[in-house]
Amino acid sequence: MIARRQLLAASAALMLTPALARAQSPSSAEIAATMKRATRFMVEKLAYRGGYLWSYLPDRSRVWGELEAYKTMVWVQPPGTATMGHLYLDAYHATGDEYYYQASAKAAQALIDGQLPTGGWGYFIDFGGPASTKRWYETIGKNAWRMEEFQHHWGNATFDDQGTGEAIRFLIRLYVEKREARFKRGLDKAINFIFASQLDNGGWPQRWPRVKDGGLHGKPDYTGLITFNDSVINDNIDVLLTYHQAIGDPRVLPAIERAMDVYLKTQQPAPQAGWGLQHRADFSPAGARTYEPEALVTHTTASNIQELMGFYRLTGNAKYLAPIPAALDWLDSVRLPEALWVGNRQFPTFVEIGTNKPLWVHRRGSNVVNGEYYVDHDPAHTIGHYNPRRSVDVSKLRREYEKLRAIPGGPVSKDSPLLKGRQPLSAYWVAAVEPGSDMNVTGGKSAGELVASLNAEGWWPTQLKAISHPYRGPGSKEVAPGDFRSSNVGDSSDTSPFDVKDGPIGISTGTYIDHMVTLIGALRAGS
């Protein structure tokens, strides 16, 4: 693909038609018009009550968030409704066009209308009501074999995948834009939710409030434990920092300090000085989903090292640097033998507590009814949807640590937003669509290509790279023929999304966001 693009670029330099020249170097007016036309489609044709899903067939006969969704749903988990609201505010700042502010306000209203009484959010909002939500969880959610977080309706809010955090940051940003009272109540509820859900030890759980029937597959409920997975704690620190900068609250600084200190409390003793995905109240590592065993976790440990260095920059307090050398030594001690490397993935994801041996996750069966996950010491035939190996640049982390250690606390934290307090927020937030659960995002096009490729209806055609089996009923107790050990999906009853080579053409919210970021950048560059 790269070679073909280079060849096309060379040909264009030799034979450039006037129309192609305009497409490659569109004027600011053409860029602005394209942005507006694409946004009108999203706001007026695609949105449901101001909110968005991730992917749609053009006739809307099937629609998806992370899983197949109902048409009455909007997705909170990025790149969903809150990310769209951020994007609209970026476009508003780039153009001054009130239309984008009002589009952002509609997204905010969707979030507020779907906000749980506690003040947080789930992965999605179903405006079809409780019966519709219950039906979804009992059908599509329950049969998504590898998507265990969707197999049970806890009924509470989640910090997983930054959905609640993204929504709160967006409400902060929108409220300070014009200080409209209509957004203040929802924002206050959300901020109070952050404070109320913080555990006594300083951490945050994956879900809150804790419920009695949260366990799955005979395992204890992990969702109320101290959660580092998907950067839950660090994301909530970032939310509070944003609120501290924009509005201010005397509760913020103590909450942030308690959260930073839980990293110190949960680090395990040397020679296994790492962290797990979750930790119990006694600070010992805990398992989570059935393919997330009780273990020390290399990528979580690397992330926590980075975050501790960030805490030093925020505070100037050397106590946040103190745990790092032992953690780096532990990472070096668990590097896999070269024969087990896959590219630059040289570290096992999971490491057994006590032995330092790699733990490898497998599955058998063909669906959520007859299948199961299990863990052993055999690296063959591991699951494909959760990478068994990780890339960690320990040398780079060491260099960054040594550089920070040489800088005294005062100078390193002199520009800290934690210490500065109230200050204006950035005008532009959406730099890119992060690679993650939404596999249907297409990017990498120039402003000229985007101006030329917006279709007549006002959307950019995107080949969907991930779809799912429609719900056809619960899975069979009999294992279907085939090898599902390393696939993303099981048999035809499995509603988990899976990769396809020749997927249908569809509408992608993430693609729209990516393309708008490119156009906003081009518009700003030409201003």
Side-chain angles (χ1 to χ4, degrees), residues 3-268:
R4 184 169 181 271
R5 283 182 179 167
Q6 290 171 339
L7 179 61
L8 289 173
S11 300
L14 295 173
M15 306 190 322
L16 201 59
T17 66
L20 184 58
R22 286 195 301 273
Q24 288 192 338
S25 301
S27 67
S28 294
E30 289 173 313
I31 292 171
T34 301
M35 290 169 54
K36 187 69 169 287
R37 194 157 67 85
T39 301
R40 282 194 180 279
F41 172 80
M42 300 298 287
V43 173
E44 298 168 21
K45 302 294 184 183
L46 200 68
Y48 183 76
R49 291 187 55 167
Y52 302 86
L53 295 168
W54 286 3
S55 306
Y56 309 73
L57 291 184
D59 64 0
R60 323 300 196 266
S61 58
R62 296 186 72 190
V63 296
W64 293 269
E66 188 168 8
L67 287 167
E68 185 157 10
Y70 292 159
K71 297 172 188 176
T72 54
M73 290 178 172
V74 303
W75 223 253
V76 179
Q77 177 188 359
T81 301
T83 314
M84 287 288 281
H86 275 303
L87 186 279
Y88 290 147
L89 281 180
D90 287 4
Y92 174 62
H93 289 142
T95 64
D97 188 338
E98 182 70 15
Y99 184 85
Y100 292 108
Y101 178 82
Q102 293 304 326
S104 187
K106 290 175 182 177
Q109 193 60 55
L111 292 170
I112 291 171
D113 289 345
Q115 193 173 16
L116 295 171
T118 54
W121 288 266
Y123 295 101
F124 60 81
I125 297 163
D126 186 357
F127 289 119
S132 176
T133 303
K134 183 174 183 289
R135 183 171 66 254
W136 186 91
Y137 273 105
E138 290 177 349
T139 55
I140 295 172
K142 188 175 182 178
N143 285 278
W145 186 14
R146 67 179 175 87
M147 314 286 286
E148 292 181 4
E149 61 272 33
F150 292 105
Q151 291 174 12
H152 177 79
H153 182 26
W154 279 269
N156 53 10
T158 182
F159 290 115
D160 189 34
D161 287 343
Q162 301 185 3
T164 288
E166 183 90 335
I168 299 176
R169 275 185 292 264
F170 166 52
L171 290 181
I172 294 169
R173 189 179 172 211
L174 182 64
Y175 173 68
V176 300
E177 187 70 41
K178 295 188 178 183
R179 302 273 171 172
E180 287 197 71
R182 58 177 167 152
F183 305 122
K184 186 66 163 58
R185 184 168 176 269
L187 173 57
D188 288 346
K189 277 180 63 178
I191 289 297
N192 288 335
F193 172 76
I194 289 280
F195 290 120
S197 59
Q198 189 173 25
L199 302 172
D200 291 341
N201 52 46
W204 274 279
Q206 187 193 81
R207 306 190 71 100
W208 191 84
R210 195 162 189 172
V211 294
K212 293 181 180 179
D213 61 342
L216 278 173
H217 306 295
K219 294 185 65 177
D221 177 26
Y222 64 90
T223 63
L225 304 181
I226 301 165
T227 301
F228 293 111
N229 194 18
D230 288 320
S231 297
V232 163
I233 297 174
N234 196 52
D235 191 57
N236 285 342
I237 290 172
D238 183 73
V239 169
L240 291 178
L241 273 175
T242 303
Y243 193 72
H244 180 63
Q245 289 179 254
I247 296 171
D249 189 308
R251 297 173 293 176
V252 166
L253 296 182
I256 289 177
E257 183 174 7
R258 289 170 53 223
M260 293 188 296
D261 284 353
V262 84
Y263 286 71
L264 310 180
K265 298 172 183 175
T266 50
Q267 186 184 25
Q268 299 304 287

Side-chain angles (χ1 to χ4, degrees), residues 168-495:
I168 299 176
R169 275 185 292 264
F170 166 52
L171 290 181
I172 294 169
R173 189 179 172 211
L174 182 64
Y175 173 68
V176 300
E177 187 70 41
K178 295 188 178 183
R179 302 273 171 172
E180 287 197 71
R182 58 177 167 152
F183 305 122
K184 186 66 163 58
R185 184 168 176 269
L187 173 57
D188 288 346
K189 277 180 63 178
I191 289 297
N192 288 335
F193 172 76
I194 289 280
F195 290 120
S197 59
Q198 189 173 25
L199 302 172
D200 291 341
N201 52 46
W204 274 279
Q206 187 193 81
R207 306 190 71 100
W208 191 84
R210 195 162 189 172
V211 294
K212 293 181 180 179
D213 61 342
L216 278 173
H217 306 295
K219 294 185 65 177
D221 177 26
Y222 64 90
T223 63
L225 304 181
I226 301 165
T227 301
F228 293 111
N229 194 18
D230 288 320
S231 297
V232 163
I233 297 174
N234 196 52
D235 191 57
N236 285 342
I237 290 172
D238 183 73
V239 169
L240 291 178
L241 273 175
T242 303
Y243 193 72
H244 180 63
Q245 289 179 254
I247 296 171
D249 189 308
R251 297 173 293 176
V252 166
L253 296 182
I256 289 177
E257 183 174 7
R258 289 170 53 223
M260 293 188 296
D261 284 353
V262 84
Y263 286 71
L264 310 180
K265 298 172 183 175
T266 50
Q267 186 184 25
Q268 299 304 287
Q272 287 193 301
W275 288 266
L277 295 173
Q278 277 84 19
H279 287 253
R280 302 181 184 89
D282 66 1
F283 306 126
S284 63
R289 291 172 290 190
T290 58
Y291 43 84
E292 293 170 328
E294 182 174 306
L296 295 174
V297 183
T298 54
H299 67 280
T300 299
T301 297
S303 294
N304 285 6
I305 290 169
Q306 287 278 17
E307 287 159 16
L308 285 167
M309 289 191 279
F311 300 159
Y312 181 58
R313 295 185 187 95
L314 283 174
T315 65
N317 193 327
K319 70 179 180 179
Y320 297 115
L321 295 182
I324 292 175
L328 291 169
D329 289 345
W330 175 71
L331 285 172
D332 271 335
S333 76
V334 297
R335 193 186 304 267
L336 291 166
E338 191 170 351
L340 292 177
W341 294 0
V342 175
N344 63 352
R345 294 181 180 271
Q346 301 175 6
F347 294 83
T349 295
F350 299 111
V351 177
E352 191 170 47
I353 297 169
T355 69
N356 241 20
K357 292 180 180 180
L359 292 174
W360 305 98
V361 184
H362 312 270
R363 72 180 185 182
R364 51 187 160 233
S366 66
N367 61 48
V368 72
V369 175
N370 62 50
E372 67 172 342
Y373 289 87
Y374 63 98
V375 179
D376 61 22
H377 296 109
D378 183 0
H381 306 298
T382 52
I383 59 175
H385 62 81
Y386 200 111
N387 208 303
R389 297 169 179 83
R390 302 287 164 160
S391 174
V392 179
D393 192 338
V394 179
S395 296
K396 182 179 178 181
L397 289 172
R398 282 191 188 278
R399 290 194 300 272
E400 188 176 351
Y401 162 75
E402 292 295 344
K403 183 177 179 181
L404 272 182
R405 193 168 70 96
I407 306 173
V412 80
S413 61
K414 63 183 176 63
D415 295 320
S416 166
L418 188 69
L419 304 181
K420 279 190 168 183
R422 293 279 294 275
Q423 54 192 292
L425 298 178
S426 172
Y428 299 95
W429 281 55
V430 187
V433 180
E434 296 290 336
S437 299
D438 186 355
M439 297 178 281
N440 285 325
V441 180
T442 298
K445 293 185 177 181
S446 68
E449 290 173 311
L450 297 180
V451 169
S453 62
L454 189 69
N455 71 10
E457 197 177 0
W459 50 278
W460 284 285
T462 301
Q463 186 169 39
L464 303 184
K465 299 187 287 288
I467 58 171
S468 61
H469 296 307
Y471 174 70
R472 298 187 177 97
S476 170
K477 293 181 181 180
E478 300 297 321
V479 177
D483 184 355
F484 304 104
R485 290 176 296 181
S486 299
S487 63
N488 270 6
V489 68
D491 60 35
S492 61
S493 70
D494 185 357
T495 55

